[in-house]
């Protein structure tokens, strides 16, 4: 069965068709490159300008005077080292909890088949339809006075870690991958006397490295880019994350130094994406086919 396209193969084979194709392709690629890399270039270049040039109208595309000292000044004035350490601490703590609890939940729904498992998964996925801002108030009241334990978790890492564990999207990704693991492999482990926990540790997790990498990246980036929740639950300046700390210390800081600080804060997640983009795509598509 032939596939219909806007330009037929016969027209595309002609010189005029080829020229039209390559012109359209070049324009589309250039446009999307400009849309995605334009803001990044503006941020990096503005961090190299002096204070007067940053606010100049119309803005300059190339810095008239390059001042790389803005970045070192931003690092010292805004205490980016301490804020970076706090953010890494919260991010990797959230990652550890998600890997343990989300993997356990996904494996239970996929292989242990609990009673009402499909209903539980459906209710989890239904929570993705709820805007995150709607959940801020009930989550804040819960953290302010945890039921049963009657503990106040403000200004503690638990205020960041515990809400991040309830990630329905990551559980769904993990479950879908676990469903794609050949049943014969798990049956062979069961025949050898392996318990469900032993099967998870020795069979499932080693072959699930792609999706575990994706979930890890999502967990780290989720904590890294969050702003509203850390601002509410971490009022102590010494315990704030990178985004909240930069916002709190932005008063009285020159615009070029502030933009340099924002550039530094953006680099880690950008590097993670550039380095692991193939792993992200392979992990997201790894559970699409069973084999």
């Amino acid at each position: 069965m032939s596939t219909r396209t806007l330009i037929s193969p016969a027209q595309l084979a002609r010189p005029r068709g080829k020229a039209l194709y390559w012109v359209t392709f070049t324009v589309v690629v250039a446009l999307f490159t400009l849309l995605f890399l334009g803001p990044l270039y503006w941020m990096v270049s503005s961090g190299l300008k002096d204070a007067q040039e940053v606010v100049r109208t119309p803005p300059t595309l190339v810095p008239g005077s390059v001042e790389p000292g803005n970045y070192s000044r931003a690092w010292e004035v805004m205490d980016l080292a301490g804020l970076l350490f706090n953010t890494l601490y919260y991010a990797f703590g959230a990652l550890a909890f998600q890997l343990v609890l989300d993997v356990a939940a996904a494996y239970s729904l996929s292989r242990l088949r609990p009673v009402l498992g499909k209903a539980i998964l459906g209710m989890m996925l239904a929570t993705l339809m709820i805007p995150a801002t709607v959940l801020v108030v009930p989550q804040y009241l819960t953290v302010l006075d945890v039921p049963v334990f009657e503990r106040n978790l403000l200004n503690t890492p638990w205020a960041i870690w515990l809400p991040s564990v309830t990630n329905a999207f990551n559980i769904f990704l993990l479950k879908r991958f676990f469903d794609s693991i050949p049943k014969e492999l798990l049956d062979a482990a069961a025949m050898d006397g392996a318990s469900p926990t032993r099967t998870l540790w020795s069979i499932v997790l080693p072959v699930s490295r792609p999706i575990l990498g994706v979930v890890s990246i999502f967990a780290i980036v989720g904590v890294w880019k969050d702003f509203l929740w850390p601002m509410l639950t971490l009022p102590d300046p010494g315990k704030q994350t990178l985004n909240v700390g930069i916002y709190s210390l932005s008063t009285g800081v020159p615009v070029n130094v502030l933009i340099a600080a924002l550039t530094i804060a953006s680099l880690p997640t950008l590097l993670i994406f550039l380095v692991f983009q193939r792993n992200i795509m392979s992990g997201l598509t790894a559970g699409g086919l069973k084999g």
Side-chain angles (χ1 to χ4, degrees):
M1 182 178 179
S2 60
T3 303
R4 299 184 63 181
T5 59
L6 294 176
I7 303 177
S8 65
Q11 291 176 329
L12 191 60
R14 299 172 184 171
R16 184 177 179 181
K18 288 183 178 179
L20 179 61
Y21 170 80
W22 284 110
V23 168
T24 304
F25 178 79
T26 303
V27 170
V28 171
V29 171
L31 179 61
F32 276 91
T33 302
L34 181 62
L35 290 176
F36 284 99
L37 296 184
L40 180 63
Y41 170 77
W42 178 87
M43 184 170 59
V44 175
S45 62
S46 297
L48 296 172
K49 300 176 181 178
D50 56 37
Q52 290 76 22
E53 189 177 3
V54 171
V55 298
R56 182 182 302 172
T57 303
T60 56
L61 294 178
V62 180
S65 59
V66 179
E67 298 186 4
N70 292 337
Y71 287 90
S72 59
R73 184 181 175 189
W75 182 270
E76 297 173 359
V77 171
M78 309 197 77
D79 189 24
L80 295 185
L83 297 175
L84 181 62
F85 174 80
N86 292 342
T87 307
L88 290 173
Y89 178 59
Y90 298 139
F92 282 97
L95 169 62
F97 279 103
Q98 286 197 33
L99 287 181
V100 173
L101 300 178
D102 288 1
V103 166
Y107 182 70
S108 300
L109 294 172
S110 174
R111 294 302 176 181
L112 302 184
R113 306 294 175 86
V115 179
L116 301 177
K118 292 184 178 180
I120 294 173
L121 179 62
M123 289 187 288
M124 286 183 180
L125 296 179
T127 61
L128 297 176
M129 303 295 179
I130 304 175
T133 52
V134 175
L135 301 176
V136 170
V137 173
Q139 284 184 345
Y140 182 81
L141 294 177
T142 302
V143 169
L144 190 63
D145 186 12
V146 179
V148 180
F149 297 97
E150 298 182 353
R151 294 289 303 274
N152 186 339
L153 300 182
L154 296 183
N155 281 322
T156 67
W158 297 102
I160 304 296
W161 293 342
L162 294 183
S164 66
V165 172
T166 57
N167 195 312
F169 182 68
N170 286 348
I171 293 176
F172 172 72
L173 288 180
L174 290 166
K175 180 187 179 300
R176 190 184 68 166
F177 188 92
F178 294 159
D179 290 340
S180 69
I181 297 176
K183 188 174 182 298
E184 294 78 9
L185 188 64
L186 304 181
D187 291 340
M191 291 179 63
D192 290 339
S195 63
T197 304
R198 179 68 176 178
T199 302
L200 172 63
W201 182 260
S202 301
I203 304 297
V204 176
L205 292 183
V207 301
S208 302
R209 290 177 182 175
I211 195 64
L212 292 178
V214 172
V215 171
S216 300
I217 293 172
F218 284 171
I220 294 175
V221 173
V223 174
W224 199 281
K225 68 182 182 63
D226 199 7
F227 175 77
L228 178 60
W229 183 248
M231 184 177 66
L232 294 175
T233 58
L234 301 172
D236 186 352
K239 299 181 179 179
Q240 291 176 344
T241 60
L242 199 57
N243 293 335
V244 179
I246 291 176
Y247 172 77
S248 302
L249 298 173
S250 61
T251 304
V253 176
V255 178
N256 55 343
V257 176
L258 177 60
I259 296 177
L262 294 174
T263 303
I264 296 174
S266 303
L267 284 179
T269 52
L270 180 62
L271 292 176
I272 288 176
F273 174 76
L274 293 177
V275 173
F276 297 103
Q277 57 178 325
R278 292 186 178 180
N279 303 75
I280 295 174
M281 297 307 300
S282 63
L284 289 174
T285 58
L289 296 176
K290 291 186 178 182

